[in-house]
């Protein structure tokens, strides 16, 4: 009796997990074939800038601080004047710190540098207030030189009393402006700017005036008269 031909059995279906694994492998292979992202910096973008984010001299109401545009504009203008003068005074202290000579060299060398650091901190305080008000703080040296009301000193090295005289003149210019700007801010209801002008700018400059001016009092060095 002839045997019936054996039935061919179909290969068992691959489990679902195997199919998913194959798909994942295919995906990894496909991704690996893609080009890697470039790590080259995009250079010289300043030459293709469409427009500045904000023009100097304008204010924007980005922060809800309860002040109208006119008030903020006036305060930003005044603060930029204080900022330019403070940057100039700060740098005048550093110039004198480097160039001072004479019997009071050590004391003035240290004092000038201390005042420089204090004015540097004040520069940041003023600039940050300008940004809070929605303005743009003056920053670069050539812009500061155009705006400042402090006379430009010579490049030469000068005697210590001349240095002190220049510093006291600069302090007085700032303090006169500070009194005016503080009153304007108070009248406009800008209490933050008024407080900065009085508590930060005015009080620091008055204190530094005291320390510097005592160095030009004409008293005997070694013998009382």
């Amino acid at each position: 009796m002839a045997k019936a031909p054996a039935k061919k059995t179909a290969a068992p279906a691959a489990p679902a997990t195997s199919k998913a694994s194959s798909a994942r492998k295919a995906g990894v292979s496909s991704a690996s074939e893609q080009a890697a992202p470039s790590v080259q910096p995009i250079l010289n973008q300043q030459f293709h800038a469409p427009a500045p984010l904000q023009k100097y001299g304008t204010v924007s109401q980005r922060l809800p601080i309860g002040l109208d545009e006119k008030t903020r504009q006036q305060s930003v203008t005044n603060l930029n004047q204080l900022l330019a003068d403070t940057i100039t005074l700060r740098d005048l202290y550093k110039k004198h710190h480097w160039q001072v000579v004479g019997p009071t060299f050590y004391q003035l060398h240290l004092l000038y540098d201390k005042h420089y650091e204090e004015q540097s901190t004040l520069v940041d305080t003023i600039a940050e207030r300008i940004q809070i008000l929605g303005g743009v703080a003056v920053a670069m040296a050539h812009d500061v030189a155009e705006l400042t009301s402090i006379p430009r000193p010579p490049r030469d090295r000068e005697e210590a009393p001349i240095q002190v005289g220049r510093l006291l003149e600069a302090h007085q210019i700032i303090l006169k402006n500070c009194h005016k700007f503080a009153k304007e801010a108070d009248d406009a209801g800008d209490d933050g700017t008024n407080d900065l002008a009085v508590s930060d700018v005015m009080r620091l400059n008055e204190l530094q005036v005291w320390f510097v001016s005592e160095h030009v009092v004409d008293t005997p060095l070694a013998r009382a008269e």
Side-chain angles (χ1 to χ4, degrees), residues 20-93:
S21 178
S22 298
R24 281 197 299 271
K25 288 180 181 178
V28 170
S29 175
S30 175
S32 65
E33 293 173 0
Q34 296 177 2
S38 172
V39 295
Q40 172 63 36
I42 304 173
L43 305 177
N44 301 318
Q45 295 191 60
Q46 71 273 24
F47 299 122
H48 308 289
L53 292 177
Q54 182 180 348
K55 285 187 173 294
Y56 177 81
T58 65
V59 293
S60 64
Q61 185 66 39
R62 295 192 305 111
L63 304 177
I65 58 174
L67 295 173
D68 60 47
E69 182 178 353
K70 181 181 177 182
T71 299
R72 290 182 290 110
Q73 182 69 73
Q74 175 183 274
S75 291
V76 165
T77 300
N78 290 345
L79 287 171
N80 262 320
Q81 183 64 62
L82 280 180
L83 178 58
D85 291 339
T86 301
I87 291 172
T88 303
L89 176 58
R90 177 201 66 184
D91 293 346
L92 190 59
Y93 267 113

Side-chain angles (χ1 to χ4, degrees), residues 6-17:
K7 293 182 179 179
K8 293 182 180 179
T9 56
T17 54

